[in-house]
Amino acid sequence: MPTLLVPYYEHPAERPEAWAALVAAAPRLYGVVLNPESGPGRAADPAFADVAGRLRAAGVRVLGYTDADYGRRPHGEVVADLLRHRDWYGADGAFLDQVPTGPEAVAHFRRIAVAARAAGARTLVFNHGAQPHPSYAPLADLFVTFEGPWDSYRDLDLPSGDRHCHLVYAAPADARLTSAVQCAVPGGGAHPWGTLPHALEGTR
């Protein structure tokens, strides 16, 4: 059975039943991406701190969402986000979004990876959204090599190793993804990650 990496970008106070379903599905999860406000937010949110604690108690990796802006965000800003996720929510890993695929940014992300590990990130996920240059391979534990709609995904023949993850939205319930770590959700439009994966519908 595939392992699920779930980016779920809804507030726990507004969708408590969905967050309860994630906690209940703990054995099936690679991790959950915690994203209070396109990052850790401007101040700690008690509702996210509570749900992060419940996930950790259930044995789930809590990955703090940080926007890397394709290498344009300064090193210090990215590291500050990682530290806030750790200090406010007890995140034990990091999900770096918008990581470029080309080799020109590898040195920048190598510095970020070193800082993330030093800050206690046991799991580091890079979301490239496409196949990255091989020089990124030593830097992270998992690589999102596809993020996009089912209509694009279903016609692709993507390489898929143990460290690859595919995130697919606007997907039908019978969608079959080829990566070992994955997430297929029904949502689409501007906010697809406000829906739980089809695979967890039975845990509500």
Side-chain angles (χ1 to χ4, degrees), residues 41-88:
R42 289 164 289 192
D45 185 321
F48 274 102
D50 174 72
V51 80
R54 288 161 55 202
L55 287 165
R56 290 196 314 276
V60 179
R61 293 180 179 95
V62 175
L63 307 173
Y65 175 97
T66 299
D67 183 3
D69 194 22
Y70 298 105
R72 291 186 289 263
R73 281 192 81 196
H75 172 85
E77 287 186 14
V78 173
V79 173
D81 275 5
L82 299 176
L83 292 173
R84 291 185 186 108
H85 276 299
R86 181 197 68 186
D87 295 343
W88 294 347

Side-chain angles (χ1 to χ4, degrees), residues 3-6 22-23 25-32 55 60-61 200:
T3 303
L4 299 172
L5 172 64
V6 183
L22 285 170
V23 174
R28 302 180 59 185
L29 302 182
Y30 179 91
V32 172
L55 287 165
V60 179
R61 293 180 179 95
L200 297 189

Side-chain angles (χ1 to χ4, degrees), residues 185-202:
V185 301
H191 183 46
W193 306 115
T195 53
L196 288 180
H198 288 291
L200 297 189
E201 284 302 314

